[in-house]
Amino acid sequence: MKAVFDKSSLLAAITPAVSVAQTRNTMAAVDGILFECPPSPKFGEFEGDSSNVCRISAFDLEKGLRTAVDCRIEEEGMYVINTVKMLQIVRALPDGEITLDISDRGRVTISGGFSKFEITATPGEEFPSMPKFVGDSRCFLPQRKLRSLIQETVFSVAQNDQRAAFNGALFRVEGDWLTVVGCDGNRLSAARCEVTRAEMGEKSEMIIPGKFLSELSKMLADSDEDTEMIIGRKNIIFRVGGTYFFTRMLDTEYMAYERLLPKTYRTQAYVSRAEFLSAVERASIVTEDKLGGSGRSHVKLDFDGGEITMSSVSAGGSVYEKIPAAIDGSPLSIGFNCRYLLEALKACPTECDRLRIRLQTPLMGVVIEPAGGTTFLSAEPDPESYGGRPPVAAAAAADKETDGDMFMYFVMPIRMNG
């Protein structure tokens, strides 16, 4: 096999493959990138003229990608090359044309300018079969919207939880709306946006591994160009431009997360997102201090009057400050793992200026959402705290509903001593 590529085009095609191919796998074919010059029917049909196209695939038996790059094919062939070595070599070569020459015995020569590298390859026939990129259901939404949904929720997806569902995010397409939910047992995040169009039944749900979503978000651009989401029987496929990213869905049921959300609230506060975030970031300097083996300490929030008082004490120091807020209902003190609270505030869209915070008891989770509200939660003021009076904080902190995606965070508190 011999083909000549433009360096920038080849680099753009193989860079995402690093997140897919495993570096420690007993199967050499799974540890590398499949180069097909031209695309072979063995691994699926190719749409369009394939005479001067190299199809590139990576697959670790759970997730994968497939794309194509223009090239000048001088000798046809199909081989698998180690992903990391290939990427390092292409990056190191000078700009311009790169020649990939593979002998019948699997000896690879990669050259560009006055530089030349030699490595080994394995026959392409050993590469595992990939799922077909077809499905009965599909929907479309801009890349920037999908990226926002992932960034607003994936932080709360567990990494290696024994409860399989917590290791993935729920994707629910209902009508013209896509809802994404993540939860690890300590916090829950939800975000929603309208899809461009959907070709599916009234409702479709799937659980997508969080690690895959983290990698997918890096590959999405701040663009209005559509991403196509194809739902297969066992796999979910995202087509971004001419590249397909796919993964096996988690075969389990997601919890009825709506039941976790409180239906009433005793305390309500409206606060500047930027001011609240900055205060929690400063508190994390103390709460994350491990001097003297103290580990992590909690941050305490007191909601009373026209401010939120934040304090924390650890073996390495203490912090105390006040954040202006419009508050009504009953005064309330509550403690949180500072990191959980901080990650939720960082995930809020930057265009959201003010937040609404609703609390019920010191032992029940706090709900954080845009000041204008969302459709995730329909809660009423607690009669004992409000005595039939309507909340007044909303009027004191009048704010237009946040444009763009809707989001909501639910963070569980920790029990404070004393």
Side-chain angles (χ1 to χ4, degrees), residues 312-368:
S312 181
V313 178
S314 73
S318 63
V319 62
Y320 178 90
E321 63 179 281
K322 296 181 178 180
I323 307 112
I327 302 174
D328 59 29
S330 302
L332 188 144
S333 297
I334 190 169
F336 291 99
N337 178 309
C338 190
R339 180 169 62 87
Y340 292 158
L341 191 60
L342 180 59
E343 289 179 347
L345 293 173
K346 283 184 174 180
C348 293
T350 54
E351 64 268 19
C352 178
D353 295 326
R354 295 188 68 81
L355 299 172
R356 178 169 68 188
I357 303 173
R358 288 180 169 177
L359 310 99
Q360 177 58 261
T361 73
L363 299 179
M364 186 175 291
V366 60
V367 173
I368 303 172

Side-chain angles (χ1 to χ4, degrees), residues 9 18 75 80 91 108 163 189 191 246 256 305 364 387-388 397 412-413:
S9 299
V18 175
E75 186 177 340
V80 179
R91 280 178 173 168
V108 184
R163 298 159 292 187
S189 58
F246 62 93
M364 186 175 291
M412 291 298 295

Side-chain angles (χ1 to χ4, degrees), residues 197-216:
R197 62 188 187 278
E199 300 171 6
M200 54 185 63
E202 293 184 1
K203 184 176 179 181
S204 183
E205 292 187 356
M206 65 228 73
I207 304 175
I208 304 176
K211 293 179 180 179
F212 170 83
L213 292 173
S214 295
E215 295 299 331
L216 176 63

